[in-house]
Amino acid sequence: RSAALCALWRAMEAAERSPLVTDAHASGIAEEVLGVEAARKMSNATFAPSLQYLVALRTRLLDDALSEWLRASASGGRARQVVQLAVGCDTRVLRLLAEGGDGEMPRVLEVDSPRVAAWRRHFLSRFESPGISAVARSCEQVAFDLREPEQLLDMLIHEHGFDPDLPTAWMCEGLLEYHPWSFSERLFRALGAVASHSGPGAMSRGAPESTPKVDGVVLEIPSHVLFVAALDNYWHTFLREEHSQMPVRMAWQKRLPSADMLVDSLRAG
């Protein structure tokens, strides 16, 4: 439901006169998953514009960061990979990669629960136009319980042919706020384990000024970059004060880490 609501907020933003993001697929996804009447009611809720802006902003930031990485990593014709964690109802693969661009299209691995992975296989199989259908068919769905992140890398390598030596963009959007802080630390350590597969010097703890950042949070490895969009307690306070939305109703953790905590954990991981 949370993923479908994010699609609804993107659809609302796409309908604006000057949208931060455009998404031709979001409205259909929201109506399919939520139901037409439920989607209509949610779009008219008093808090809908606030969440519309939140999702649109983080989507635009991540889209821009990934687009820049794709351009920067396109030289030399080397194969690349994009791994989307907790992909939900996101359409980034269609919005960005179907448009083409420099270099060969990267291999895309989308990670989520078995139920979501099955839905996405069905959703992506519907496209018939040559450009979009080629992208959709090349996008591999990975059924995995992210609550056990320690197993992720080995599973990607041994069951899905993930190559830790290839340039890889890891996308983490709308995931951390649903889990306790210990989960974020475990996830960052698990992703940091790519260094042991990529060889000495594979991980850099620094964040050069030229590296794209999302909310100031970035983990760079010479061939790997992790883009994170995470909420902090500002949104709890804002939604509670403006719309009487309690954290439990949003399904977020009652206390969310600050951006500084995320940066420190990323660099330590």
Side-chain angles (χ1 to χ4, degrees):
R1 178 179 170 84
S2 295
L5 286 173
C6 288
L8 177 62
W9 312 140
R10 288 198 310 275
M12 292 173 59
E13 178 66 22
E16 298 288 347
R17 179 174 298 180
S18 300
L20 286 173
V21 294
T22 57
D23 191 336
H25 314 286
S27 179
I29 291 173
E31 292 182 353
E32 175 184 336
V33 178
L34 297 173
V36 175
E37 184 61 20
R40 184 191 66 80
K41 289 182 178 179
M42 291 299 295
S43 65
N44 290 326
T46 58
F47 55 81
S50 296
L51 294 177
Q52 170 189 330
Y53 175 71
L54 162 64
V55 170
L57 180 60
R58 77 180 187 192
T59 298
R60 177 61 182 267
L61 288 169
L62 283 182
D63 282 0
D64 288 352
L66 179 59
S67 294
E68 176 61 29
W69 181 84
L70 289 170
R71 286 192 293 270
S73 62
S75 61
R78 191 181 183 191
R80 298 164 295 167
Q81 301 166 134
V82 175
V83 182
Q84 291 220 103
L85 304 174
V87 63
C89 296
D90 184 71
T91 59
R92 185 165 286 114
V93 65
L94 300 177
R95 289 183 285 109
L96 297 187
L97 301 183
E99 297 174 357
D102 297 328
E104 294 292 326
M105 193 186 109
R107 185 180 180 214
V108 180
L109 298 167
E110 297 187 326
V111 183
D112 214 309
S113 68
R115 180 180 178 184
V116 173
W119 177 84
R120 289 190 67 82
R121 290 189 193 98
H122 177 66
F123 167 70
L124 292 172
S125 70
R126 305 174 192 173
F127 295 98
E128 297 180 354
S129 62
I132 295 181
S133 64
V135 171
R137 286 196 304 270
S138 68
C139 186
E140 184 170 351
Q141 301 306 310
V142 178
F144 180 79
D145 186 350
L146 281 165
R147 291 174 297 182
E148 302 297 334
E150 292 81 5
Q151 309 303 318
L152 176 62
L153 187 58
D154 283 344
M155 188 274 297
L156 288 175
I157 292 173
H158 297 299
E159 297 184 25
H160 296 275
F162 174 81
D163 187 344
D165 291 323
L166 292 180
T168 303
W170 300 80
M171 312 298 293
C172 182
E173 176 184 9
L175 171 62
L176 302 184
E177 51 265 30
Y178 294 95
H179 297 275
W181 172 242
S182 59
F183 168 80
S184 299
E185 295 179 307
R186 291 168 57 211
L187 177 64
F188 296 155
R189 283 196 299 268
L191 296 182
V194 72
S196 65
H197 293 272
S198 301
M203 180 180 293
S204 170
R205 297 178 187 270
E209 289 302 315
S210 59
T211 302
K213 298 179 179 65
V214 177
D215 288 345
V217 180
V218 63
L219 169 67
E220 187 187 59
I221 309 169
S223 60
H224 290 248
V225 61
L226 169 63
F227 297 110
V228 180
L231 306 181
D232 62 17
N233 284 305
Y234 165 82
W235 284 97
H236 275 328
T237 302
F238 175 80
L239 292 171
R240 186 183 300 113
E241 291 179 351
E242 295 294 319
H243 307 294
S244 299
Q245 281 293 108
M246 300 301 292
V248 66
R249 294 183 60 192
M250 298 304 301
W252 300 336
Q253 292 290 301
K254 293 183 178 180
R255 292 289 300 173
L256 297 172
S258 66
D260 288 340
M261 288 178 65
L262 287 173
V263 170
D264 291 343
S265 183
L266 284 164
R267 288 174 172 166

